[in-house]
Amino acid sequence: ASDDGRFAMDFLPVLDRAARTGALVIQSDQHQVFGAFTGRAVLDDGTVLEVRDLMGFAERVENRWRKGGPPGPTGPGGVRHT
């Protein structure tokens, strides 16, 4: 819940997905949780939005890549130049 009481939401997880990938020039670390939100939000004009079992997700994703990649037999990043 928010400090001002305008937002209160519960989240019921349904699916927890995590994946980590590493290649020559890119690394990816992902954590996603899918589930249902139930609660309410009060807009600036006072309108109250009630939600029940609204499907959604939360995620944390970190992607890193190296510019150009490592030099290889075909050129920088393994790209063939012709």
Side-chain angles (χ1 to χ4, degrees):
S2 63
D3 290 337
D4 62 5
R6 291 180 53 188
F7 182 83
M9 199 70 56
D10 290 320
F11 181 71
L12 179 63
V14 175
L15 175 67
D16 190 339
R17 177 188 174 277
R20 180 174 283 176
T21 303
L24 291 176
V25 296
I26 190 168
Q27 292 181 337
S28 180
D29 186 6
Q30 304 176 8
H31 186 198
Q32 300 165 317
V33 182
F34 298 85
F37 290 94
T38 298
R40 69 184 202 115
V42 181
L43 304 182
D44 289 341
D45 67 2
T47 303
V48 177
L49 299 177
E50 297 277 346
V51 297
R52 183 179 182 110
D53 298 327
L54 177 67
M55 293 304 291
F57 67 95
E59 70 178 1
R60 185 194 63 76
V61 176
E62 182 178 352
N63 294 320
R64 293 180 181 205
W65 58 92
R66 284 191 295 184
K67 185 175 181 180
T74 56
V79 176
R80 183 175 304 280
H81 298 279
T82 56

